[in-house]
Amino acid sequence: MENCCGLLTSKQEPVPLKSVEVELEVRDHVATVVSTLNYENKEDKPLEAVFVFPMPGDAAVCHFSATIGQTQIVAEVKEKQKAREEYDDALSSGQQAFLLEESDQSPDIFSLSVGSLPPGESASIRLEYVTELAVQADEGLRFVLPAVLNPRYHPQGSEGVQVTSVPASLVPYSLSFSARVSSPRPVSKVESNCPMDPLKYLNTEQSQATVKLAAGHKFDKDVELLIYYKDAHQPTAVVEAGQTSAKPGTLMGDPLVMLSLYPEFPQAVMSSLASCGEFVFLLDRSGSMGVPMNNNEGSQTRIGSARDTLLLLLKSIPMGCYFNIYSFGSSYEHIFPKSVEYSEKTMEEALKKVEGMEDDLGGTEILEALKHIYSQACIPNQPRQLFVFTDGEVGNTKEVINLVKKNSASHRCFSFGIGEGASSALINGLAKEGGGHAQFITGIDRMQPKVMQSLRFALQPAVVDISVKWDLPKGVSVSVLSPPITTLFQGQRSLIYAQLTGQSPKAAEGSVTVKYSLAGHPSQNKLHFNLKPAEDSGLTVHRLAARTLIRSLEMVEDEEVVEGGEPDEGVKKKKVVELSVQSGVSSAFTAFIAVNKGSGETIQGPLVRRNVPTPMPMMAMCGGGASGGRMMGRPIPMPMMAMCGGGASGGGMMGRPIPRMVSCSMPMRRTVMEASPSAQMVNVGVMEAQSCKSMESCGRRNCSMSKKSKGMVSCSMPMRRTVMEASPSAQMVNVGVIEAQSCKSMESCGRRKNCSMSKKSKGMKTLLTAMRRTVSSCVRRPTSKGVVQRESLNCSLDIEPQQPPRDPLLQLVSLQKASGCWELDPALAAAVGKTSEEVENTKPASENKEVWATILALIWLHGFKMDAQKEWELLAMKAVSWLRAPNAPCVAECVEAGNTLLGCKVQKDALGI
């Protein structure tokens, strides 16, 4: 096909989407996002462009329109199947049509179809949504524009959304992004993970500001903004007038109030942490967890960061608690048959297992692991706290969240979305329905401080007996639209939406009082507010309230919607559709549909479908989605290796195409390389096949390949050879495939400097000298006629371990005992940067070794790692509690000697002892 527009998909097809323009307006903690997608058809046939893209999971999509020439068509919200039929009918009759719909599996994936775009025609699509901004640990408000749509793993037998993806560097359309921020309080700063132009203030009070994304965004990550206000997060109330065209007494016709509550708990209660609980840690070990945390060279992988985080968590759990660690992929594992009491023995046993955890369990089937956890009986007087670590690449999001909701009375769920493109619908949904707290770790974020903040929440006593009381003028009544508040955390916002009915006198005021009990102490927070509607607020509050109602209805079973009697089939759907159509906010059961009926001219010619690609910057999986290709136990990074199955242009290595890339189409979606547990040996398998059918038994028979790799990839192309290439950091091996005619041509590989492998892959870098390469002779299985029936090459890369030095903080943490103390040994001395002799000789004579070692560790933490205090403060509290127990008489002397040895000036009071 001739490329007339210069923009191609991975299948060499022109891309009609030219640019995406995003305008963000933030008012206090609410964001309105307007995206304009500009399409142009430079082909000689009419097109249908289909674009599947990510969206914040809690967004309320409230406007969709299309502009063709001077004509603007505003879409309507209709029941999804009716909208699809109307769209199909329009296309079949030669009319232009536009369809926007939410995925059935997850509310954070949308599909936009632009139909019957004639040759030479342009169209602009305007999409608008509103969303609330989450509060971060440092009081910043987090906005994320998802640019990355990772492949979602769908359990066997389920249907998933089809996504066309390309490397981030090859995304064929541009992105511009600008933001306007306003608040009653001054805007102190705006930070981003992407290069931004300087912040510009629009008034002297600095309560309004603008900022823009610098040109050249490469689509390799989500665009994240952190917005900080002075005197942030005060309780507020916003009253919004109803829509003038809507009927009074309806959701859109009446005024609504949005309350933002920030409860302040007594410091005495907050400083006392619980010493009981059952902590269940659920770790994602799917293939995608082997991706680096960010694009920086030498960046730690997601699974590596999760292992370090589990180390901190296990060291920070109080004595007397119970714990267990689960991990999941295509299957699930657990360290103990059931939760065990936390002790030195159980902690060490768990840590040994954690150290060996790799991203080697295939897909992302979290559902069965959760079912097993919930099947375990809760331990009396040990409140269950579930910590879920995942990159969020699951397709059955709603099913997973529903399971957590059904078991919400038995536990609290704290969720962590790791890496770019993690499903916000999954991560936020787990925490919301599980009564816990959600965190996202992206870019250069360290996982540890965010997780430790959640551990603090888990250790704090749960807020109970929460009630909300309204005090309104006579003649005004209130209907609360939000689900009841079941969870309150220090410093975290709680939102309440309510509908106000009736007339109120001018300048009337109302108030709301939130009462609750914390650790046996009754508390309350009261907020007064004016009932006069705010000016220029549009219908933002109404749309957010409608979204809240819609999501609540979508999460319940049909029988829960009906009051008394037998439920009618689809009663939930009817209520959701009615609310969605009335409010103009999208739902799982509705879609936006627009048809251009203005010109009356039919569009001639067969309609050609074009899938607009989304960026998948960190990996591409050979046929297996989130559980597919791997190398050295790691997923294949997308910028280095394109997706399998791309035909003549689908594959590439270091910018060079791979001739006729293999198609990984068999159910056994393994890899051409697999690492040993120590990651110091790599087994490479190559099989001959004339067709896919002849490969079906590969890995199931007793061939040398199956022994090495337990079922390697089934390649549908004849005779392929696997080649390897090391990255400059020697931490990654890229896997490519080139054609081979016979096994004989492989015999010299690895035995000569310039082996045939190197010649075949001209221009590729050779393996670093630190890596010793040996290749065994080919295993030939000739038939009676002398024709090779099956060939296998087993290559071994004996890589000399080049482990990066361990973080000194984690090194010290790893030496702490479950009780909280440290032992005086050479490892501790090395961790604090001293020799064993120095540490031994400076110990006060009257103090025992463990007290001395523990005080040294605390001084080192306070003296050198205050920037990471959030990571170690809980385990330091354990150490202080241990020091107090033996009533050590020479603490002051030890502190003085420790400061002298380490060159610090840490006061005894600062240590808390």
Side-chain angles (χ1 to χ4, degrees):
M1 177 184 295
E2 182 180 354
N3 174 22
C4 48
C5 64
L7 303 174
L8 299 179
T9 68
S10 61
K11 297 182 179 179
Q12 298 295 298
E13 297 168 342
V15 176
L17 178 61
K18 295 295 191 181
S19 64
V20 180
E21 302 165 10
V22 179
E23 297 176 352
L24 165 69
E25 182 175 3
V26 177
R27 293 191 178 187
D28 206 6
H29 64 269
V30 174
T32 301
V33 183
V34 177
S35 297
T36 303
L37 295 86
N38 299 307
Y39 290 83
E40 183 180 7
N41 180 9
K42 287 195 173 182
E43 297 188 63
D44 57 2
K45 310 177 189 67
L47 295 181
E48 178 189 25
V50 180
F51 186 25
V52 179
F53 58 96
M55 184 84 75
D58 53 359
V61 181
C62 52
H63 177 86
F64 176 52
S65 61
T67 301
I68 302 100
Q70 302 299 315
T71 304
Q72 184 186 41
I73 312 144
V74 178
E76 300 177 73
V77 178
K78 296 186 178 181
E79 191 274 326
K80 185 177 283 187
Q81 189 56 38
K82 289 182 180 178
R84 289 171 175 171
E85 291 172 359
E86 187 173 333
Y87 176 81
D88 292 338
D89 290 344
L91 296 193
S92 62
S93 61
Q95 293 178 310
Q96 289 178 314
F98 308 87
L99 181 70
L100 178 70
E101 56 182 316
E102 177 185 312
S103 163
D104 293 332
Q105 285 80 28
S106 182
D108 62 349
I109 300 178
F110 275 72
S111 175
L112 170 60
S113 300
V114 178
S116 291
L117 191 61
E121 187 75 83
S122 298
S124 290
I125 308 299
R126 180 184 170 95
L127 170 67
E128 182 178 335
Y129 66 86
V130 292
T131 186
E132 304 137 355
L133 302 185
V135 184
Q136 302 302 289
D138 60 358
E139 297 190 336
L141 293 173
R142 180 177 183 262
F143 167 80
V144 176
L145 176 69
V148 178
L149 178 56
N150 285 337
R152 302 289 171 86
Y153 180 87
H154 296 270
Q156 189 172 3
S158 66
E159 295 184 2
V161 178
Q162 298 301 312
V163 181
T164 301
S165 301
V166 296
S169 60
L170 300 182
V171 169
Y173 43 87
S174 61
L175 170 68
S176 65
F177 175 84
S178 62
R180 180 188 176 102
V181 182
S182 61
S183 171
R185 295 170 294 281
V187 181
S188 59
K189 61 179 177 178
V190 176
E191 297 178 346
S192 178
N193 64 330
C194 299
M196 306 290 288
D197 292 340
L199 185 70
K200 294 182 180 179
Y201 289 104
L202 302 180
N203 57 6
T204 55
E205 295 83 10
Q206 296 188 345
S207 60
Q208 297 182 19
T210 61
V211 68
K212 290 184 178 180
L213 181 70
H217 180 63
K218 298 185 183 303
F219 282 92
D220 57 344
K221 54 192 165 189
D222 298 342
V223 178
E224 179 181 78
L225 287 188
L226 291 173
I227 301 165
Y228 298 86
Y229 301 125
K230 294 180 181 177
D231 302 320
H233 311 325
Q234 303 299 316
T236 58
V238 176
V239 178
E240 183 177 85
Q243 194 173 19
T244 54
S245 59
K247 182 180 178 181
T250 64
L251 173 69
M252 302 303 291
D254 282 345
L256 297 188
V257 58
M258 176 178 64
L259 300 176
S260 304
L261 305 175
Y262 291 88
E264 292 292 332
F265 301 149
Q267 185 58 37
V269 177
M270 298 309 300
S271 59
S272 62
L273 300 179
S275 58
C276 62
E278 179 196 6
F279 293 88
V280 180
F281 305 111
L282 179 57
L283 175 63
D284 188 342
R285 286 173 58 189
S286 62
S288 52
M289 286 291 287
V291 169
M293 290 289 292
N294 55 63
N295 290 341
N296 295 338
E297 186 175 351
S299 172
Q300 190 177 30
T301 61
R302 297 173 183 176
I303 191 71
S305 182
R307 283 195 302 264
D308 288 347
T309 302
L310 283 173
L311 167 65
L312 273 174
L313 284 167
L314 289 175
K315 296 291 183 176
S316 301
I317 295 175
M319 296 291 285
C321 293
Y322 286 73
F323 79 102
N324 202 355
I325 299 175
Y326 284 72
S327 55
F328 67 93
S330 298
S331 58
Y332 67 88
E333 299 175 358
H334 43 76
I335 291 181
F336 305 107
K338 61 180 182 179
S339 293
V340 296
E341 187 171 358
Y342 179 72
S343 66
E344 183 67 26
K345 179 183 177 182
T346 56
M347 182 193 75
E348 289 297 332
E349 184 177 349
L351 283 174
K352 287 180 182 178
K353 297 285 183 64
V354 168
E355 287 175 5
M357 286 184 175
E358 293 290 347
D359 51 305
D360 53 4
L361 290 187
T364 316
E365 297 196 27
I366 188 175
L367 195 65
E368 293 305 315
L370 286 171
K371 287 179 179 179
H372 189 272
I373 290 170
Y374 294 139
S375 71
Q376 303 293 306
C378 291
I379 302 170
N381 302 316
Q382 300 285 348
R384 178 174 288 173
Q385 317 284 351
L386 175 61
F387 284 61
V388 180
F389 301 88
T390 178
D391 53 19
E393 297 174 10
V394 304
N396 54 341
T397 301
K398 293 181 180 179
E399 192 177 1
V400 172
I401 294 174
N402 267 320
L403 179 64
V404 173
K405 180 183 178 182
K406 289 178 181 178
N407 292 275
S408 59
S410 66
H411 76 305
R412 287 193 291 182
C413 181
F414 298 86
S415 54
F416 306 91
I418 305 170
E420 307 292 341
S423 169
S424 59
L426 176 71
I427 304 305
N428 287 325
L430 289 174
K432 181 180 178 181
E433 299 302 334
H437 187 253
Q439 301 266 24
F440 289 86
I441 302 102
T442 59
I444 60 173
D445 289 349
R446 280 176 60 82
M447 189 185 304
Q448 290 80 9
K450 294 193 174 186
V451 174
M452 298 312 290
Q453 183 202 30
S454 293
L455 180 59
R456 264 195 166 277
F457 285 155
L459 287 170
Q460 288 166 1
V463 178
V464 296
D465 300 330
I466 303 172
S467 65
V468 179
K469 181 181 178 183
W470 296 80
D471 186 6
L472 299 172
K474 188 176 180 180
V476 179
S477 58
V478 63
S479 299
V480 178
L481 306 176
S482 306
I485 298 176
T486 58
T487 307
L488 290 174
F489 291 114
Q490 173 77 8
Q492 296 300 304
R493 180 184 64 236
S494 293
L495 287 173
I496 298 177
Y497 294 97
Q499 182 176 346
L500 301 175
T501 306
Q503 297 294 324
S504 62
K506 292 183 179 180
E509 280 197 351
S511 67
V512 62
T513 304
V514 180
K515 295 183 178 181
Y516 51 88
S517 179
L518 181 64
H521 301 278
S523 299
Q524 68 177 40
N525 297 111
K526 191 170 186 177
L527 174 63
H528 294 270
F529 60 93
N530 196 311
L531 291 179
K532 181 182 178 182
E535 297 180 359
D536 301 326
S537 62
L539 292 170
T540 301
V541 173
H542 282 73
R543 287 162 174 165
L544 288 171
R547 188 281 321 272
T548 299
L549 272 176
I550 287 170
R551 291 287 183 252
S552 298
L553 282 169
E554 288 174 345
M555 290 300 296
V556 302
E557 303 294 337
D558 272 351
E559 56 267 23
E560 298 179 51
V561 183
V562 183
E563 297 180 3
E566 291 296 321
D568 295 328
E569 185 178 355
V571 64
K572 175 178 71 173
K573 179 179 177 180
K574 292 177 184 177
K575 287 182 174 290
V576 170
V577 170
E578 180 183 348
L579 183 57
S580 178
V581 171
Q582 179 193 150
S583 63
V585 172
S586 64
S587 74
F589 303 122
T590 55
F592 282 93
I593 175 67
V595 178
N596 184 10
K597 301 177 182 178
S599 65
E601 297 181 4
T602 59
I603 298 170
Q604 304 296 324
L607 195 62
V608 179
R609 180 184 174 105
R610 292 286 181 257
N611 293 319
V612 178
T614 55
M616 192 193 306
M618 296 301 288
M619 77 189 154
M621 297 303 183
C622 293
S627 62
R630 305 172 56 77
M631 57 186 177
M632 287 191 69
R634 300 287 183 268
I636 303 170
M638 186 68 170
M640 298 180 181
M641 188 171 195
M643 296 179 68
C644 286
S649 62
M653 181 181 295
M654 305 297 289
R656 282 174 280 277
I658 299 170
R660 301 181 69 191
M661 175 65 93
V662 296
S663 174
C664 307
S665 58
M666 299 301 294
M668 294 187 299
R669 289 187 172 127
R670 292 298 179 104
T671 174
V672 291
M673 298 185 70
E674 294 213 344
S676 66
S678 64
Q680 294 179 14
M681 188 71 72
V682 181
N683 302 319
V684 182
V686 178
M687 295 292 290
E688 177 186 7
Q690 299 306 318
S691 68
C692 246
K693 288 184 177 180
S694 66
M695 293 296 292
E696 289 180 359
S697 63
C698 172
R700 300 176 189 174
R701 298 179 183 174
N702 294 324
C703 65
S704 61
M705 188 164 157
S706 64
K707 292 178 182 177
K708 289 287 185 184
S709 60
K710 299 180 182 177
M712 291 198 176
V713 67
S714 299
C715 301
S716 61
M717 309 299 283
M719 291 294 292
R720 296 286 169 242
R721 180 195 306 167
T722 301
V723 295
M724 294 153 291
E725 172 191 32
S727 68
S729 64
Q731 294 179 0
M732 188 74 73
V733 173
N734 303 327
V735 181
V737 179
I738 59 175
E739 296 185 12
Q741 297 305 317
S742 68
C743 198
K744 287 182 179 180
S745 66
M746 298 291 288
E747 289 178 356
S748 63
C749 176
R751 299 176 184 175
R752 300 176 185 175
K753 272 190 174 179
N754 300 316
C755 64
S756 59
M757 210 175 200
S758 301
K759 292 177 181 178
K760 285 281 185 180
S761 53
K762 184 178 179 182
M764 300 174 78
K765 297 177 182 178
T766 58
L767 294 173
L768 297 182
T769 55
M771 306 172 71
R772 296 194 304 274
R773 177 172 57 187
T774 59
V775 184
S776 66
S777 58
C778 297
V779 178
R780 301 174 62 85
R781 297 177 180 270
T783 63
S784 57
K785 295 182 180 181
V787 178
V788 175
Q789 185 177 28
R790 180 185 293 119
E791 297 178 352
S792 178
L793 172 67
N794 297 317
C795 297
S796 297
L797 280 177
D798 189 2
I799 305 171
E800 295 179 357
Q802 297 207 358
Q803 298 292 337
R806 191 169 196 181
D807 184 326
L809 171 60
L810 294 176
Q811 181 62 32
L812 182 70
V813 168
S814 69
L815 300 173
Q816 189 185 30
K817 300 299 180 182
S819 62
C821 73
W822 276 266
E823 290 183 346
L824 193 62
D825 57 21
L828 175 72
V832 298
K834 299 296 176 182
T835 65
S836 297
E837 291 75 15
E838 289 174 316
V839 172
E840 289 279 359
N841 294 338
T842 53
K843 181 185 79 68
S846 57
E847 195 55 86
N848 72 50
K849 291 183 177 182
E850 288 184 339
V851 170
W852 169 236
T854 303
I855 290 176
L856 269 183
L858 289 174
I859 292 173
W860 187 88
L861 290 172
H862 283 81
F864 298 101
K865 288 295 178 181
M866 285 302 291
D867 59 332
Q869 185 179 9
K870 291 184 181 296
E871 301 182 34
W872 54 258
E873 61 183 352
L874 289 178
L875 59 89
M877 290 172 63
K878 278 177 67 175
V880 170
S881 297
W882 179 86
L883 283 170
R884 288 174 178 166
N887 194 24
C890 301
V891 168
E893 186 180 350
C894 285
V895 172
E896 182 179 351
N899 275 315
T900 301
L901 175 64
L902 299 177
C904 299
K905 296 181 180 179
V906 180
Q907 299 297 314
K908 176 173 174 286
D909 291 344
L911 298 177
I913 51 179

